[in-house]
């Protein structure tokens, strides 16, 4: 019986330690992003497009995974509610990403299609908003400006 208490105590200590680590990591990332935004106050905001409907995201989920921006790990990513995106300084950039989509299968539970990583050249203007998405029909990435 004493062993059960020991396991429970270790589990609780590990859980609390993990929560503290994640809290500190999130604060550090937020601080780095704010410092980057202070250096680049005219940065463009780029949202990563999601499936348009709730049912579509449940039955046929898909996602874009950012691998690199200008051959570096993407350090300027953000989340606003359920929307995800990243910031870019004005000018030309190279975005490396991959795409994955899942659909219900006929003989198996699901069928997942993964597209190999590819690099897109984009140009952004100061303080504009863009949407980065993947066109499933044409199997290519799109980068469009949002009209406000």
């Amino acid at each position: 019986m004493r062993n059960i208490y020991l396991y429970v105590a270790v589990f609780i200590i590990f859980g609390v330690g993990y929560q503290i680590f994640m809290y500190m990591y999130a604060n550090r990332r937020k601080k780095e992003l704010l410092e980057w935004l202070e250096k680049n106050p005219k940065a463009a905001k780029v949202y990563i497009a999601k499936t348009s409907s709730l049912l579509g995201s449940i039955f046929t989920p898909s996602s874009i995974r950012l691998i690199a921006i200008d051959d570096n790990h993407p350090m300027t990513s953000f989340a606003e509610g359920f929307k995800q995106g990243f910031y870019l300084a004005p000018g030309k950039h190279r975005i490396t990403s991959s795409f994955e989509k899942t659909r219900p299968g006929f003989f198996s539970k699901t069928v997942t299609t993964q597209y190999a990583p590819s690099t897109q050249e984009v140009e952004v203007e100061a303080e504009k908003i863009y949407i980065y998405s993947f066109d499933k029909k044409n199997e290519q990435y799109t980068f469009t400006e949002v009209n406000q």
Side-chain angles (χ1 to χ4, degrees):
M1 196 65 165
R2 290 177 67 166
N3 288 339
I4 292 174
Y5 293 127
L6 181 63
Y7 289 129
V8 169
V10 168
F11 185 74
I12 290 172
I13 291 170
F14 178 76
V16 169
Y18 179 76
Q19 287 180 341
I20 291 170
F21 171 77
M22 290 307 293
Y23 178 76
M24 291 171 39
Y25 178 75
N27 281 343
R28 189 182 87 225
R29 292 263 307 160
K30 187 175 183 179
K31 182 181 175 187
E32 289 172 355
L33 179 60
L34 291 174
E35 288 173 1
W36 188 89
L37 286 173
E38 285 178 10
K39 293 177 187 174
N40 301 283
K42 297 198 178 274
K45 189 182 266 192
V46 181
Y47 289 102
I48 298 172
K50 292 282 185 190
T51 306
S52 59
S53 69
L54 178 62
L55 286 177
S57 64
I58 292 172
F59 293 115
T60 58
S62 60
S63 63
I64 294 175
R65 185 174 69 92
L66 285 180
I67 297 170
I69 298 174
D70 296 329
D71 299 323
N72 295 317
H73 181 73
M75 296 300 294
T76 60
S77 58
F78 66 87
E80 292 177 350
F82 292 112
K83 295 180 182 179
Q84 294 182 341
F86 53 95
Y87 291 101
L88 291 175
K92 291 186 178 184
H93 297 279
R94 295 169 35 125
I95 302 172
T96 305
S97 60
S98 63
F99 181 75
E100 180 178 288
K101 66 179 179 178
T102 303
R103 65 172 176 80
F106 187 69
F107 291 111
S108 61
K109 291 185 180 180
T110 60
V111 176
T112 300
T113 305
Q114 296 177 334
Y115 294 85
S118 64
T119 301
Q120 294 74 44
E121 299 270 341
V122 299
E123 186 169 359
V124 297
E125 296 178 22
E127 299 177 336
K128 298 236 176 163
I129 298 175
Y130 297 89
I131 294 180
Y132 184 60
S133 61
F134 187 82
D135 183 0
K136 295 177 193 175
K137 188 179 287 185
N138 297 323
E139 296 186 349
Q140 65 182 11
Y141 290 91
T142 60
F143 190 80
T144 55
E145 182 180 339
V146 175
N147 294 328
Q148 297 177 343

